[in-house]
Amino acid sequence: MEPDKTTKLQIDSGVEMNTILVQGNAAQVATELLAVVVVDAGEKDKPNPQVLSSDQSVQAAAKDLLAGCEVTGRVGETTLLHRPQGLAAKRLLLVGAGKVESFSTVELRKAAGTALRFLKPKSIKSFAFAVPETSGGAGGAVRAVIEGAFVGNFDPDVYKSDRKDQRVEEITVIVASGDKGILDSAVKEGRVIGESQNFTRTLVNEPSNRMTPTILADRAQKMAEEVGLKCEVYGAEKIKSMKMGAFWSVAQGSDEPPALIVLTYEPQGAPPKPVLGLVGKGITFDSGGISIKPSDGMEKMKYDMAGGATMLGVMRAIALLKPKIKVIAIVLATENMPSGKAQKPGDVQIAMSGKSIEIINTDAEGRLVLADGLHYARQLGATHLVDAATLTGAIVVALGYANAGVFANDDAWFEQFHQALKRSGEKMWRMPLDPEYQEMIRSNIADIMNTGGRWGGAITAAMFLKEFVEDTPWLHLDIAGTAWMEDNKPWIAKGPSGIAVRSLIELAREVANGASGSATGTQAAQNRANSGAGL
Ligand code: BES
Ligand code: MN
Ligand code: ZN
């Protein structure tokens, strides 16, 4: 079968990989390595590993290994067997995917990434993955495997001078049965989504000297041309003339010119409403400004543009997957620097909406740029808003590294996103936005202050943003703890994670399909928010 080249793009897709779809018998596929999924069907302390394959030859080849005690089926576990009997493959890799009862496409995605990352350092360039028959249907399973493989193929070590190209060049997905058309488009969609997540990771990975606001805007423009999106980039003069006083107050302190990036996707036949507005924080370096950060760990603040990069990745996927809905993305790109021109604590700024802001801490800059971005998105006609931002250290205190924080002013809109989270497998936890918190950002001299004191810092930051969305349904994703991973996982490299890209792609498609979220009680929605199983 010919590898699928239809959606292969040359620039910025992170890693290239051919995809081949085979319908038939896993035992007969000649390959360097055949990966199969193993789940644990046992009781508490007694693992009972089982291979998820209806292929009798595969079962027979794995039988002796499973009879011993070295395979448990735990998530991330890999066991290699050379020259498996009765199979055309040179090697058989058993990939653990956890308990049988919790197995879903979320674990399957990880298993595919785990298999790929097992063979990557061994310079095995191609492999086959036997897709288990899941209740969710073969299409969803194939898509998850392709997504997981592309995400697994990314490594951040791009500036090592002795870097070897160890990427896996080809994956064959083997499916026992299913409709060819559905499976083919599942492969294409999986590729688009995995590549778009890697596109975001590629941008976030760059240090601030190689990812200035101008460079970020250039990358957005190049991507937009490639996939057929409208892209406008505005500089300092336009930002000032549009009276984006909150955005400019951050940008004024840097020698690097800011960029306001506006991407528009409007497919033929899209209804006039809803219009999805995506707003991303694009601080290419956050020194803190005059309220300067301690030097310990400051190098991490190159990833403070992750929210903006997220929206660029989402737009890339939307342009290629073509859901029937209008989407606008706004990225506010600037550095936050101290200088003689920088804003100072105590300054009062007037946002584009007309609201006055007393600057208490110049390090609370993300909410300032987003304030004008959210207002502008509404002005451009967005009926539903989502912002993504590495906004607060406080969200890391609250939720650690496992969950991103979600804030919502509308239960139905949150519920719709919650469905998207279940499909993407990304973990996020809903946080409160009660009116009580509003008092904490009240100012004596202006309408609001840009910080809310010591407690509940992620919430007061979200309350600040809420001032600028009025009654438009809005979601705020605080990804400060999740956009950069400090440790490797078996299925994904440490470094930029690309968190939220997959969920927002799901959300856009869901809204386009008219899937309506039902308004539910906040508590019930919160309980169910703990779904999925991480990246
Ligand atoms: N970009 C930071 C938040 C951040 C912290 C991102 C850790 C990633 C990892 C943000 O601009 C910031 O500095 N927030 C301040 C707000 C404070 C001054 C109210 C913070 O969280 O300390
Ligand atoms: Mn800051
Ligand atoms: Zn910041």
Side-chain angles (χ1 to χ4, degrees), residues 111-192:
T114 303
L116 189 139
R117 292 193 69 73
F118 173 86
L119 54 117
K120 196 176 181 196
K122 298 175 176 59
S123 293
I124 301 173
K125 294 288 178 195
S126 62
F127 76 118
F129 193 98
V131 180
E133 286 123 272
T134 55
S135 51
V142 165
R143 207 188 94 177
V145 167
I146 298 284
E147 284 174 17
F150 271 90
V151 169
N153 217 355
F154 176 97
D155 271 289
D157 56 347
V158 287
Y159 292 113
K160 284 190 188 288
S161 52
D162 60 351
R163 185 181 206 249
K164 298 186 203 76
D165 182 15
Q166 287 187 311
R167 98 198 132 84
V168 173
E169 291 164 3
E170 188 169 279
I171 178 173
T172 302
V173 281
I174 310 166
V175 196
S177 60
D179 179 273
K180 173 93 167 69
I182 290 176
L183 297 176
D184 276 340
S185 47
V187 170
K188 280 183 199 153
E189 287 177 14
R191 172 197 283 277
V192 167

Side-chain angles (χ1 to χ4, degrees), residues 281 286 293 301 303-304 361 363-367 390-394 396 450-452 480-481:
K281 171 177 174 181
D286 181 11
K293 287 178 182 293
M301 285 302 114
Y303 84 83
D304 213 19
N361 189 319
D363 198 10
E365 85 296 342
R367 66 200 75 182
T390 47
L391 203 64
T392 66
V396 196
N450 80 329
T451 61

